[in-house]
Amino acid sequence: MAHTIKTAVAAGLALALAGCISFAGEPPPSLLTLTPDAAGTAGQASSGEASSAIAVLEPGAPQSLDVTRVPVQMNNAEIAYLKDAVWVEKPARLFQRLLAETLRARTGRLVFDGESPALGAATRLQGSLGAFGYDARSASVVVQFDAVRTGAGERVDTRRFEARIPGVAAEAAAVGEALNRAANQVAGEVAAWMTAG
């Protein structure tokens, strides 16, 4: 009888604890993404020669950006992550899609992105994200992209693009919206550079 009571008590405790313990973190209230200002319409089609196509490769990123969190530059030596600010996927992949969609809308050329974007495209856009987060020192968001454009032959062009939006509160919604604006600004400038050739 005593053994049965002990077993029942142990089972009851296990059930009670199961309701208190979570092996996964609490989900954020919402997820952040990037939405292009310039985008093609439904049913819009493009065709052309591979020689005029653009392949957009996923940018490289430092370890601080190779996550789904939004980094906060606290000072010259410290980085933290903004509470409740989580991307739907890593920012380098989101920015690649934003660049590709902006280029499609603004250049009228064939643009490839994805896992194997080359498909014979003569022009390639690649590079690296140097910043894609919040600067607590200036209460601003910063997007910095070091672009590398390669074309037919051995020509290589590079250019750094940067957008800063000041006066942003250190809150997930405000930072996410400002980063979307800054990323679109950079994407627009990159598209202009790509068409200027």
Side-chain angles (χ1 to χ4, degrees):
M1 182 71 174
H3 177 61
T4 304
I5 293 172
K6 285 182 184 176
T7 303
V9 169
L13 286 173
L15 285 173
L17 284 173
C20 300
I21 297 173
S22 173
F23 292 100
E26 285 292 315
S30 61
L31 296 174
L32 304 175
T33 192
L34 298 178
T35 305
D37 288 342
T41 58
Q44 180 180 351
S46 297
S47 62
E49 300 295 323
S51 59
S52 66
I54 302 171
V56 180
L57 305 176
E58 183 174 330
Q63 187 62 42
S64 62
L65 296 177
D66 196 28
V67 294
T68 57
R69 305 292 304 277
V70 175
V72 177
Q73 191 74 44
M74 304 299 291
N75 55 45
N76 289 341
E78 275 186 281
I79 292 176
Y81 288 99
L82 189 63
K83 183 182 177 185
D84 294 332
V86 181
W87 295 108
V88 295
E89 61 183 316
K90 292 180 181 179
R93 181 70 181 113
L94 290 170
F95 189 64
Q96 177 193 18
R97 283 202 199 96
L98 181 72
L99 280 173
E101 192 61 33
T102 303
L103 284 165
R104 280 186 198 102
R106 295 197 178 178
T107 67
R109 293 166 64 179
L110 283 174
V111 178
F112 305 121
D113 65 333
E115 293 299 318
S116 301
L119 297 176
T123 303
R124 289 173 173 248
L125 173 63
Q126 54 195 24
S128 61
L129 287 174
F132 206 92
Y134 186 74
D135 188 340
R137 298 165 296 187
S138 59
S140 59
V141 300
V142 184
V143 173
Q144 184 186 87
F145 177 56
D146 290 318
V148 179
R149 178 180 62 199
T150 56
E154 297 183 12
R155 182 178 176 86
V156 178
D157 296 299
T158 65
R159 184 170 169 186
R160 174 170 285 182
F161 297 88
E162 183 175 291
R164 288 179 175 267
I165 298 179
V168 180
E171 298 168 356
V175 169
E177 190 275 332
L179 280 170
N180 189 62
R181 282 192 288 139
N184 270 285
Q185 179 182 327
V186 167
E189 291 172 4
V190 170
W193 177 63
M194 294 294 287
T195 54

Tab-separated table of all heavy atoms in Angstrom, residues 17-71:
chain	number	residue	atom	x	y	z
A	17	LEU	N	5.413	19.168	-12.519
A	17	LEU	CA	6.641	19.765	-13.033
A	17	LEU	C	6.603	19.920	-14.548
A	17	LEU	O	7.157	20.865	-15.101
A	17	LEU	CB	7.862	18.922	-12.635
A	17	LEU	CG	8.307	19.066	-11.180
A	17	LEU	CD1	9.408	18.070	-10.870
A	17	LEU	CD2	8.786	20.479	-10.915
A	18	ALA	N	5.956	18.994	-15.229
A	18	ALA	CA	5.887	19.054	-16.690
A	18	ALA	C	5.232	20.342	-17.154
A	18	ALA	O	5.561	20.889	-18.203
A	18	ALA	CB	5.127	17.846	-17.234
A	19	GLY	N	4.294	20.866	-16.380
A	19	GLY	CA	3.631	22.118	-16.744
A	19	GLY	C	4.488	23.344	-16.503
A	19	GLY	O	4.214	24.407	-17.027
A	20	CYS	N	5.557	23.203	-15.711
A	20	CYS	CA	6.405	24.338	-15.361
A	20	CYS	C	7.680	24.418	-16.180
A	20	CYS	O	8.316	25.450	-16.242
A	20	CYS	CB	6.803	24.262	-13.887
A	20	CYS	SG	5.396	24.298	-12.771
A	21	ILE	N	8.076	23.302	-16.773
A	21	ILE	CA	9.358	23.234	-17.462
A	21	ILE	C	9.151	23.354	-18.958
A	21	ILE	O	8.256	22.740	-19.520
A	21	ILE	CB	10.083	21.909	-17.131
A	21	ILE	CG1	10.399	21.861	-15.642
A	21	ILE	CG2	11.357	21.780	-17.949
A	21	ILE	CD1	10.959	20.543	-15.193
A	22	SER	N	9.985	24.171	-19.610
A	22	SER	CA	9.953	24.309	-21.060
A	22	SER	C	11.369	24.135	-21.578
A	22	SER	O	12.301	24.737	-21.057
A	22	SER	CB	9.420	25.683	-21.452
A	22	SER	OG	9.547	25.867	-22.836
A	23	PHE	N	11.533	23.273	-22.566
A	23	PHE	CA	12.865	23.051	-23.124
A	23	PHE	C	13.148	23.961	-24.306
A	23	PHE	O	14.208	23.932	-24.880
A	23	PHE	CB	13.015	21.574	-23.529
A	23	PHE	CG	13.032	20.666	-22.344
A	23	PHE	CD1	11.893	19.964	-21.977
A	23	PHE	CD2	14.155	20.552	-21.553
A	23	PHE	CE1	11.897	19.138	-20.867
A	23	PHE	CE2	14.162	19.733	-20.440
A	23	PHE	CZ	13.041	19.021	-20.097
A	24	ALA	N	12.207	24.784	-24.699
A	24	ALA	CA	12.400	25.769	-25.766
A	24	ALA	C	12.109	27.143	-25.189
A	24	ALA	O	11.331	27.288	-24.258
A	24	ALA	CB	11.453	25.478	-26.926
A	25	GLY	N	12.764	28.163	-25.767
A	25	GLY	CA	12.530	29.522	-25.305
A	25	GLY	C	11.130	29.987	-25.669
A	25	GLY	O	10.475	29.429	-26.544
A	26	GLU	N	10.691	31.016	-24.989
A	26	GLU	CA	9.386	31.598	-25.301
A	26	GLU	C	9.438	32.194	-26.708
A	26	GLU	O	10.398	32.877	-27.059
A	26	GLU	CB	9.056	32.706	-24.302
A	26	GLU	CG	8.652	32.200	-22.936
A	26	GLU	CD	7.308	31.474	-22.965
A	26	GLU	OE1	6.374	31.988	-23.602
A	26	GLU	OE2	7.229	30.398	-22.367
A	27	PRO	N	8.425	31.957	-27.512
A	27	PRO	CA	8.444	32.543	-28.853
A	27	PRO	C	8.304	34.055	-28.767
A	27	PRO	O	7.636	34.574	-27.879
A	27	PRO	CB	7.225	31.911	-29.542
A	27	PRO	CG	6.331	31.511	-28.424
A	27	PRO	CD	7.224	31.171	-27.264
A	28	PRO	N	8.938	34.792	-29.720
A	28	PRO	CA	8.795	36.250	-29.716
A	28	PRO	C	7.372	36.632	-30.100
A	28	PRO	O	6.669	35.851	-30.748
A	28	PRO	CB	9.802	36.706	-30.776
A	28	PRO	CG	9.953	35.533	-31.673
A	28	PRO	CD	9.788	34.319	-30.819
A	29	PRO	N	6.927	37.827	-29.729
A	29	PRO	CA	5.574	38.263	-30.069
A	29	PRO	C	5.342	38.296	-31.585
A	29	PRO	O	4.243	38.064	-32.062
A	29	PRO	CB	5.473	39.669	-29.480
A	29	PRO	CG	6.592	39.785	-28.512
A	29	PRO	CD	7.650	38.822	-28.935
A	30	SER	N	6.386	38.620	-32.353
A	30	SER	CA	6.281	38.645	-33.815
A	30	SER	C	7.680	38.453	-34.395
A	30	SER	O	8.672	38.548	-33.685
A	30	SER	CB	5.684	39.968	-34.297
A	30	SER	OG	6.521	41.044	-33.916
A	31	LEU	N	7.747	38.186	-35.698
A	31	LEU	CA	9.020	38.009	-36.390
A	31	LEU	C	9.219	39.147	-37.376
A	31	LEU	O	8.254	39.664	-37.954
A	31	LEU	CB	9.053	36.666	-37.119
A	31	LEU	CG	8.976	35.427	-36.225
A	31	LEU	CD1	8.859	34.164	-37.072
A	31	LEU	CD2	10.183	35.326	-35.303
A	32	LEU	N	10.468	39.521	-37.594
A	32	LEU	CA	10.804	40.611	-38.510
A	32	LEU	C	11.165	40.057	-39.882
A	32	LEU	O	11.728	38.973	-39.994
A	32	LEU	CB	11.987	41.412	-37.966
A	32	LEU	CG	11.847	42.010	-36.567
A	32	LEU	CD1	13.152	42.666	-36.140
A	32	LEU	CD2	10.705	43.010	-36.526
A	33	THR	N	10.864	40.824	-40.921
A	33	THR	CA	11.265	40.462	-42.275
A	33	THR	C	11.545	41.738	-43.055
A	33	THR	O	11.347	42.846	-42.538
A	33	THR	CB	10.181	39.610	-42.974
A	33	THR	OG1	10.731	39.061	-44.177
A	33	THR	CG2	8.930	40.410	-43.260
A	34	LEU	N	12.004	41.596	-44.284
A	34	LEU	CA	12.242	42.729	-45.167
A	34	LEU	C	11.234	42.689	-46.304
A	34	LEU	O	10.987	41.636	-46.895
A	34	LEU	CB	13.665	42.684	-45.752
A	34	LEU	CG	14.812	42.765	-44.747
A	34	LEU	CD1	16.159	42.658	-45.471
A	34	LEU	CD2	14.756	44.057	-43.942
A	35	THR	N	10.656	43.847	-46.611
A	35	THR	CA	9.675	43.963	-47.683
A	35	THR	C	10.181	44.984	-48.692
A	35	THR	O	10.463	46.125	-48.320
A	35	THR	CB	8.315	44.434	-47.117
A	35	THR	OG1	7.920	43.543	-46.078
A	35	THR	CG2	7.254	44.453	-48.194
A	36	PRO	N	10.307	44.589	-49.965
A	36	PRO	CA	10.850	45.532	-50.956
A	36	PRO	C	9.895	46.681	-51.264
A	36	PRO	O	8.688	46.472	-51.393
A	36	PRO	CB	11.089	44.657	-52.192
A	36	PRO	CG	10.193	43.489	-52.027
A	36	PRO	CD	10.040	43.279	-50.544
A	37	ASP	N	10.461	47.889	-51.391
A	37	ASP	CA	9.677	49.046	-51.832
A	37	ASP	C	9.329	48.907	-53.311
A	37	ASP	O	8.257	49.304	-53.748
A	37	ASP	CB	10.466	50.345	-51.630
A	37	ASP	CG	10.586	50.728	-50.162
A	37	ASP	OD1	9.810	50.206	-49.334
A	37	ASP	OD2	11.472	51.553	-49.844
A	38	ALA	N	10.283	48.365	-54.074
A	38	ALA	CA	10.088	48.160	-55.508
A	38	ALA	C	9.956	46.667	-55.744
A	38	ALA	O	10.867	45.904	-55.436
A	38	ALA	CB	11.279	48.711	-56.293
A	39	ALA	N	8.816	46.248	-56.285
A	39	ALA	CA	8.599	44.824	-56.517
A	39	ALA	C	7.798	44.634	-57.787
A	39	ALA	O	7.013	45.498	-58.179
A	39	ALA	CB	7.853	44.194	-55.334
A	40	GLY	N	8.018	43.491	-58.418
A	40	GLY	CA	7.260	43.155	-59.606
A	40	GLY	C	5.818	42.838	-59.249
A	40	GLY	O	5.494	42.554	-58.098
A	41	THR	N	4.950	42.878	-60.247
A	41	THR	CA	3.537	42.582	-60.031
A	41	THR	C	3.253	41.136	-60.396
A	41	THR	O	4.020	40.502	-61.123
A	41	THR	CB	2.655	43.502	-60.890
A	41	THR	OG1	3.009	43.329	-62.265
A	41	THR	CG2	2.839	44.951	-60.488
A	42	ALA	N	2.149	40.602	-59.923
A	42	ALA	CA	1.755	39.236	-60.240
A	42	ALA	C	1.564	39.095	-61.738
A	42	ALA	O	0.976	39.962	-62.393
A	42	ALA	CB	0.452	38.887	-59.519
A	43	GLY	N	2.080	38.013	-62.293
A	43	GLY	CA	1.958	37.768	-63.725
A	43	GLY	C	3.049	38.394	-64.555
A	43	GLY	O	3.168	38.116	-65.750
A	44	GLN	N	3.875	39.255	-63.945
A	44	GLN	CA	4.971	39.885	-64.676
A	44	GLN	C	5.997	38.826	-65.040
A	44	GLN	O	6.386	38.009	-64.218
A	44	GLN	CB	5.621	40.970	-63.813
A	44	GLN	CG	6.778	41.688	-64.477
A	44	GLN	CD	7.386	42.753	-63.571
A	44	GLN	OE1	6.843	43.070	-62.522
A	44	GLN	NE2	8.504	43.294	-63.977
A	45	ALA	N	6.433	38.811	-66.293
A	45	ALA	CA	7.407	37.822	-66.759
A	45	ALA	C	8.594	38.535	-67.377
A	45	ALA	O	8.481	39.662	-67.866
A	45	ALA	CB	6.764	36.885	-67.773
A	46	SER	N	9.742	37.871	-67.327
A	46	SER	CA	10.955	38.421	-67.928
A	46	SER	C	11.613	37.326	-68.752
A	46	SER	O	11.545	36.146	-68.412
A	46	SER	CB	11.937	38.899	-66.859
A	46	SER	OG	11.384	39.942	-66.113
A	47	SER	N	12.255	37.727	-69.823
A	47	SER	CA	13.047	36.789	-70.610
A	47	SER	C	14.186	37.574	-71.233
A	47	SER	O	14.144	38.792	-71.332
A	47	SER	CB	12.188	36.109	-71.682
A	47	SER	OG	11.688	37.080	-72.578
A	48	GLY	N	15.198	36.871	-71.636
A	48	GLY	CA	16.342	37.539	-72.222
A	48	GLY	C	17.524	36.598	-72.312
A	48	GLY	O	17.417	35.408	-72.010
A	49	GLU	N	18.634	37.157	-72.718
A	49	GLU	CA	19.859	36.378	-72.859
A	49	GLU	C	20.584	36.298	-71.525
A	49	GLU	O	20.528	37.229	-70.717
A	49	GLU	CB	20.775	37.040	-73.886
A	49	GLU	CG	20.173	37.176	-75.278
A	49	GLU	CD	19.929	35.822	-75.922
A	49	GLU	OE1	20.752	34.908	-75.728
A	49	GLU	OE2	18.895	35.679	-76.607
A	50	ALA	N	21.276	35.179	-71.325
A	50	ALA	CA	22.069	35.025	-70.099
A	50	ALA	C	23.138	36.106	-70.002
A	50	ALA	O	23.526	36.509	-68.904
A	50	ALA	CB	22.712	33.641	-70.067
A	51	SER	N	23.567	36.611	-71.151
A	51	SER	CA	24.620	37.629	-71.143
A	51	SER	C	24.166	38.930	-70.494
A	51	SER	O	24.988	39.735	-70.052
A	51	SER	CB	25.092	37.906	-72.570
A	51	SER	OG	24.006	38.357	-73.361
A	52	SER	N	22.843	39.165	-70.417
A	52	SER	CA	22.349	40.395	-69.791
A	52	SER	C	21.748	40.134	-68.406
A	52	SER	O	21.255	41.051	-67.757
A	52	SER	CB	21.293	41.060	-70.681
A	52	SER	OG	20.145	40.234	-70.774
A	53	ALA	N	21.763	38.878	-67.960
A	53	ALA	CA	21.168	38.522	-66.669
A	53	ALA	C	22.098	38.874	-65.515
A	53	ALA	O	23.314	38.995	-65.679
A	53	ALA	CB	20.833	37.034	-66.630
A	54	ILE	N	21.501	39.027	-64.335
A	54	ILE	CA	22.251	39.311	-63.109
A	54	ILE	C	22.002	38.180	-62.124
A	54	ILE	O	20.852	37.811	-61.868
A	54	ILE	CB	21.803	40.639	-62.459
A	54	ILE	CG1	21.977	41.810	-63.431
A	54	ILE	CG2	22.580	40.895	-61.159
A	54	ILE	CD1	21.349	43.112	-62.935
A	55	ALA	N	23.062	37.636	-61.582
A	55	ALA	CA	22.962	36.639	-60.514
A	55	ALA	C	23.273	37.324	-59.194
A	55	ALA	O	24.326	37.955	-59.046
A	55	ALA	CB	23.933	35.491	-60.754
A	56	VAL	N	22.355	37.240	-58.239
A	56	VAL	CA	22.550	37.844	-56.920
A	56	VAL	C	22.884	36.724	-55.943
A	56	VAL	O	22.059	35.849	-55.680
A	56	VAL	CB	21.293	38.602	-56.450
A	56	VAL	CG1	21.519	39.212	-55.066
A	56	VAL	CG2	20.910	39.679	-57.458
A	57	LEU	N	24.096	36.750	-55.420
A	57	LEU	CA	24.543	35.725	-54.479
A	57	LEU	C	24.290	36.172	-53.043
A	57	LEU	O	24.228	37.372	-52.758
A	57	LEU	CB	26.031	35.438	-54.684
A	57	LEU	CG	26.436	35.056	-56.115
A	57	LEU	CD1	27.946	34.895	-56.208
A	57	LEU	CD2	25.731	33.786	-56.556
A	58	GLU	N	24.145	35.222	-52.153
A	58	GLU	CA	23.919	35.560	-50.746
A	58	GLU	C	25.149	36.250	-50.174
A	58	GLU	O	26.266	35.733	-50.305
A	58	GLU	CB	23.606	34.304	-49.937
A	58	GLU	CG	23.281	34.605	-48.485
A	58	GLU	CD	22.833	33.371	-47.713
A	58	GLU	OE1	22.244	32.457	-48.326
A	58	GLU	OE2	23.090	33.340	-46.496
A	59	PRO	N	24.978	37.409	-49.553
A	59	PRO	CA	26.139	38.116	-48.991
A	59	PRO	C	26.776	37.337	-47.842
A	59	PRO	O	26.093	36.600	-47.123
A	59	PRO	CB	25.549	39.429	-48.463
A	59	PRO	CG	24.199	39.547	-49.076
A	59	PRO	CD	23.734	38.155	-49.349
A	60	GLY	N	28.049	37.539	-47.676
A	60	GLY	CA	28.712	37.026	-46.484
A	60	GLY	C	28.329	37.894	-45.300
A	60	GLY	O	27.803	39.005	-45.468
A	61	ALA	N	28.580	37.394	-44.114
A	61	ALA	CA	28.231	38.151	-42.900
A	61	ALA	C	29.128	37.710	-41.760
A	61	ALA	O	29.473	36.526	-41.662
A	61	ALA	CB	26.767	37.928	-42.530
A	62	PRO	N	29.509	38.640	-40.871
A	62	PRO	CA	30.258	38.238	-39.681
A	62	PRO	C	29.376	37.403	-38.754
A	62	PRO	O	28.150	37.388	-38.898
A	62	PRO	CB	30.642	39.571	-39.034
A	62	PRO	CG	29.620	40.545	-39.530
A	62	PRO	CD	29.239	40.076	-40.899
A	63	GLN	N	29.995	36.732	-37.820
A	63	GLN	CA	29.256	35.844	-36.922
A	63	GLN	C	28.138	36.567	-36.173
A	63	GLN	O	27.074	36.002	-35.936
A	63	GLN	CB	30.225	35.206	-35.909
A	63	GLN	CG	29.596	34.144	-35.036
A	63	GLN	CD	29.077	32.957	-35.839
A	63	GLN	OE1	29.732	32.496	-36.751
A	63	GLN	NE2	27.899	32.470	-35.493
A	64	SER	N	28.344	37.830	-35.845
A	64	SER	CA	27.313	38.583	-35.109
A	64	SER	C	26.037	38.754	-35.912
A	64	SER	O	24.959	38.954	-35.351
A	64	SER	CB	27.852	39.954	-34.693
A	64	SER	OG	28.185	40.715	-35.845
A	65	LEU	N	26.133	38.672	-37.255
A	65	LEU	CA	24.962	38.809	-38.123
A	65	LEU	C	24.486	37.470	-38.672
A	65	LEU	O	23.438	37.402	-39.315
A	65	LEU	CB	25.278	39.733	-39.304
A	65	LEU	CG	25.601	41.186	-38.979
A	65	LEU	CD1	25.965	41.939	-40.248
A	65	LEU	CD2	24.431	41.850	-38.275
A	66	ASP	N	25.246	36.429	-38.443
A	66	ASP	CA	24.900	35.112	-38.986
A	66	ASP	C	23.944	34.382	-38.046
A	66	ASP	O	24.095	33.193	-37.770
A	66	ASP	CB	26.177	34.298	-39.215
A	66	ASP	CG	25.929	33.103	-40.128
A	66	ASP	OD1	25.022	33.174	-40.965
A	66	ASP	OD2	26.639	32.093	-39.980
A	67	VAL	N	22.976	35.117	-37.528
A	67	VAL	CA	21.963	34.614	-36.595
A	67	VAL	C	20.652	35.304	-36.930
A	67	VAL	O	20.616	36.226	-37.743
A	67	VAL	CB	22.353	34.903	-35.122
A	67	VAL	CG1	23.591	34.124	-34.702
A	67	VAL	CG2	22.567	36.389	-34.896
A	68	THR	N	19.571	34.896	-36.305
A	68	THR	CA	18.281	35.536	-36.561
A	68	THR	C	17.963	36.650	-35.566
A	68	THR	O	16.845	37.147	-35.528
A	68	THR	CB	17.141	34.491	-36.544
A	68	THR	OG1	17.155	33.823	-35.282
A	68	THR	CG2	17.294	33.495	-37.678
A	69	ARG	N	18.928	37.043	-34.760
A	69	ARG	CA	18.740	38.123	-33.790
A	69	ARG	C	19.234	39.446	-34.373
A	69	ARG	O	20.011	39.476	-35.318
A	69	ARG	CB	19.518	37.816	-32.499
A	69	ARG	CG	19.210	36.473	-31.852
A	69	ARG	CD	17.815	36.388	-31.268
A	69	ARG	NE	17.546	37.430	-30.303
A	69	ARG	CZ	17.898	37.385	-29.020
A	69	ARG	NH1	18.541	36.343	-28.529
A	69	ARG	NH2	17.604	38.386	-28.213
A	70	VAL	N	18.798	40.553	-33.777
A	70	VAL	CA	19.226	41.880	-34.215
A	70	VAL	C	20.326	42.363	-33.273
A	70	VAL	O	20.078	42.569	-32.078
A	70	VAL	CB	18.045	42.877	-34.213
A	70	VAL	CG1	18.534	44.282	-34.552
A	70	VAL	CG2	16.967	42.426	-35.189
A	71	PRO	N	21.555	42.548	-33.792
A	71	PRO	CA	22.653	42.975	-32.923
A	71	PRO	C	22.539	44.451	-32.532
A	71	PRO	O	22.057	45.280	-33.303
A	71	PRO	CB	23.898	42.736	-33.779
A	71	PRO	CG	23.422	42.823	-35.180
A	71	PRO	CD	21.997	42.338	-35.177
